[in-house]
Amino acid sequence: MAFVAFLFLIISFLSLKDRTIALASSSCVSQSNNVEFTLSTASHSASNPTSSCSLQQCNITSSDNLTCSLSPTPCFNYRTANNISYCAPAIHCPVLQPCNSVTSTCASNDSVCIVNSCCSPTAVCLPLLTTNFCIREILTKDHLVLFIRFLLLGWSMTASMIVGRYGHTASTLLDGKVLVTGGYGSSGNLNSAELYDPSTDVWTQTGNMNVARYRHTASTLLNGKVLVTGGAGSSGYLNSAELYDPSTGVWTQTGNMSFARDLHAASTLLDGKVLVTGGFGSSGYLNSAELHDPSTGVWTQTGNMNVARDVHTASTLLNGKVLVTGGAGSSGYLNSAELYDPSTGVWTQTGNMSFARDLHAASTLLDGKVLVTGGFGSSGYLNSAELYDPSTGVWTQTGNMSFARELHTASTLLDGKVLVTGGYNGTIAWNSTELY
């Protein structure tokens, strides 16, 4: 158990290398300032002598419904302006950004405003990532095995889909569920769709699409609906598009794209429009891009990419730009990446990935980085994963998936984890899923 705790602390420090976490009865240094958190004589509390403040330490039988037990790091009770509690380790205030003093909110969606921290009277933004370090459930022996596996690999198995499929899409809905659509399975092209509920680890069927398709795209719109575009079907390359309404489970058709394309990519922009890029059509590899306006259902063309490519990914970054990665082109597998600026319609090149890959998946994480997983390259099917940092334009490798797979999907969940579903490994259509 001590070894597990040691691993947990090491990983915690590595993943928060720009923030300082202080254990009880120990000191740390941040921005040339020393701070020490010590367990006080009062029951279930901790104090920081340098700022004369105290925090209630979380416990198993908390009377305020706050339970953060069995974490190797002592966890404390942080509260918001509307009296919501969060469990997190003691944190040195100078590393945190101040909240908006009027609205008690944070500019970043991955932080929460804390008003009664040791940074009082200044309200600060507590990164939600730090709250994940305080386990909210009692671990059984079986849980501990899974916990150790999570520490060592970063991935864990979850419930299987109802239908094995590849070349499908997965979209995180506004209620946190994940919608999987279409693809190719044992019966051929699929128009079926199913929903995954992360809170129960259960899959359920929902309404079928109007058109059976695979190698299409699906984008969650700001109004909560999902836009599916293009792909391949019984009639060949498709330019059709349709909308899914989560409130009814019904699909309706919308305006067609300017070009029939499959193996393309799509991204929902911060203004609500959807950018579709590249793919393959009757003329071969495409570098064209077009925009869908949900308010009108109309498509308009925008600037072309620098490289014609298909089976690539496109991810909307927190700064509003779109990152396109890899794919295949006339020169073979690609490791190149480029950025689209919606304000100008112009594409610029950025750092190359560590591996040339196509048929991979990409997810924008809550910290703004982009996780790229799997795909196919010169060495065959890939289980490798790497992270792109928009602040530097640099890629770094991270933990490998349990299975090598292509034509899978990867969805960022509301708790910050990434759900990978399905895919193909050269032999079968996977129905396996795993979490990063």
Side-chain angles (χ1 to χ4, degrees), residues 252-318:
T252 56
Q253 292 181 314
T254 187
N256 292 338
M257 293 186 292
S258 303
F259 297 94
R261 58 180 92 213
D262 81 331
L263 299 171
H264 52 297
S267 310
T268 303
L269 306 182
L270 298 187
D271 63 2
K273 294 181 180 179
V274 175
L275 173 72
V276 164
T277 59
F280 197 90
S282 57
S283 61
Y285 297 106
L286 303 172
N287 69 340
S288 63
E290 50 187 306
L291 291 164
H292 174 77
D293 188 338
S295 64
T296 62
V298 174
W299 293 87
T300 56
Q301 294 183 36
T302 185
N304 292 339
M305 294 187 293
N306 293 291
V307 178
R309 62 181 86 210
D310 67 3
V311 291
H312 55 291
T313 64
S315 308
T316 302
L317 306 180
L318 298 187

Side-chain angles (χ1 to χ4, degrees), residues 203-289:
W203 292 88
T204 57
Q205 289 183 314
T206 187
N208 291 338
M209 294 186 293
N210 294 289
V211 178
R213 62 181 85 213
Y214 74 115
R215 302 187 313 210
H216 53 290
T217 66
S219 308
T220 303
L221 307 179
L222 298 187
N223 61 11
K225 295 182 179 180
V226 176
L227 173 71
V228 160
T229 69
S234 57
S235 61
Y237 306 124
L238 303 172
N239 69 340
S240 64
E242 48 188 305
L243 289 165
Y244 174 78
D245 188 338
S247 65
T248 62
V250 174
W251 293 86
T252 56
Q253 292 181 314
T254 187
N256 292 338
M257 293 186 292
S258 303
F259 297 94
R261 58 180 92 213
D262 81 331
L263 299 171
H264 52 297
S267 310
T268 303
L269 306 182
L270 298 187
D271 63 2
K273 294 181 180 179
V274 175
L275 173 72
V276 164
T277 59
F280 197 90
S282 57
S283 61
Y285 297 106
L286 303 172
N287 69 340
S288 63

